[in-house]
Amino acid sequence: MSANVPTASATTVEPTSDRPPHALSSFLRRLAREKPLGLAGGIVFVLLFVFCVLAQVIAPFDVNDTSLVRRLEAPSWNHLMGTDHLGRDVFSRVLVGGQISMIVAVLASALSVVVSVVLGMIAGYFGGRTDMITQRFVDAWMIFPDLILLIVVISVLGPGAPQTVIVLGLLYGIAGSRIVRGAVMTVREMTYTRAAQTIGASWWHILWRHILPNIAPVVILLFTARIGAVILAEAGLSFLGLGIPPPAPTWGSMLSGTGRSYMYIAPWLAIAPGLCLTVVVYSINMFGDAMRDLLDPRLRGTR
Amino acid sequence: MNDFVIRRCLALIPTLFFASLIIFCAIRLIPGDVIDLMLAQNDVASSADRDSLRAALGMDRPVIEQYFSWAGHALTGDLGQSLWQNEPVADLIAQRLPVTLELGALAILVSITVGVSIGVYSAVRQDTAGDYIARSFSLLMLSVPGFWLATLVMVFPSVWWRWSPALEFTPLFVDPVRNLTHILVPAVLLGLSLSGITMRMTRTMMLDVLRQDYIRTARAKGLKESAVIFRHALRNSLIPVVTLVGLQAPLLIGGAVIFEQIFALPGMGALLLDAVFQRDYPVVTGVFLVVGVTVLFINLAVDLAYGYLDPRVRGQ
């Protein structure tokens, strides 16, 4: 974990108002120059994301269109990834499954970042007893394995997309609050924060206008680092039959359940969903790593 | 050192308290009535059943009282009675725990062997082709879902060579050889999927150490490069790697759920999943608690070991 953890340092971060108007494009140029592989990962992820979001437009067949005549067909031009034991087109199912994965991943990651920022800012800025109590709670939270916590909560709530998003968001949000807290504690000691306190700015104003913009890089890193983890966690849950319930196709559930016994006759069923998972997670991890190297001054120049 | 041990042990108390609250809330306070779910599962929904089940689970009492009664019993090792198997939950867990611990220990061994050697190689050959390949490999291991790797290992050797991993479980002390042939494949796969993190951490630590003054001194006094790496650098960078065991404990137990499911290993993960699908909540709560406490104590042991190996930590 800690190899992935972004550390914050206020030295790298200029206040947003001083940024040149083309900060984004100059950042992308720097990314392309210094981390071409990371940029490639980002591009692959965005492409796959667009494919999956447009799944219904691209998919050649309906995902639940069964046909006993064309069951377990090997991959061909008509069925790029073959068909499954009910004659459903695997390519279409992979696309739509990807759409579900991506939407869950983006929503859950966004929620987790919000939770991390709120908890981390409160604990980091106010310190003292508030911090002590939150930290003991986070300690306790972190001892539970992600998957076990997910299984237990989903078993009570029942499987479904909204539950999955909320539970994943809370799960990673609470864990990530540590990182935000560390960043906030650094920024809290900076002269500009002290100056704002001295002229009597409210804590709300300070958190919003001074702290938040200065921990922005950490927040961005947290978001990119979460997407891959969330996709894998959701796939694991679906694989165990606790994710988004059928007939909706998901990458995890395509590798489990009844389809599993047919893989010995139709091995292509075992490849596509897992390969998609791996490529998506690999590309976003590559992008996340490159971003960390660029945004995190402590690691800069070490590789 | 004594001070450090006492302080570290005292710090367990609030963590345990919050952990017990989390477990209790996760099961009892979430909307949706556990009793209704359990009865719906079994089509025996008369109101007498409901009341007696509620009383059996102690759910007719106030929430605060439920918590203290549950926590008090848990402290004495009483985790309640399974609803389906008519056996104490603690006994069920005691039967399953050794399997998961064996799987976990073997996986850690694989993860450290693979991860540390690749990590050292990668750090020593920083920015060479070998380093890039090693780093891509570790990123790949971080990105491949374990259940897919396991699926591939189940399907393709069977399709191509008619070989498939053994799926019949034999306890370790009954027939160690058969036990190992069964558990080795999942342990290697689980270990490989964790090795990505081990490799990354070893590499970072190693790079850090290689930049230290004493390494320059060691080189300057004319030591062979291998002596510098293995006797000076590796020793010191391995200390933080010890913490990896603690960091990986939750990942390991989470991964074990999936691998036990695929390879038909009767461990804690399999017990948890069965209990979840049967809505056997005393078992779910019990497994949840034992997993949390196990991770907590692994972390404690790791912290103490770390304090022993690195005197600077003790003062903090």
Side-chain angles (χ1 to χ4, degrees), chain A residues 62-105:
Chain A
D62 186 88
V63 285
N64 290 317
D65 190 6
T66 57
S67 152
L68 290 179
V69 187
R70 47 161 213 265
R71 64 202 292 264
L72 298 177
E73 275 179 26
S76 63
W77 280 114
N78 200 12
H79 297 284
L80 286 177
M81 294 174 182
T83 60
D84 69 4
H85 61 289
L86 296 173
R88 298 174 296 193
D89 180 49
V90 175
F91 179 61
S92 306
R93 288 180 71 76
V94 163
L95 275 176
V96 175
Q99 184 180 43
I100 297 170
S101 273
M102 294 281 193
I103 292 173
V104 168

Side-chain angles (χ1 to χ4, degrees), chain B residues 46-59:
Chain B
S46 78
S47 68
D49 282 342
R50 174 165 308 172
D51 289 345
S52 64
L53 193 52
R54 199 170 277 277
L57 285 174
M59 288 179 76

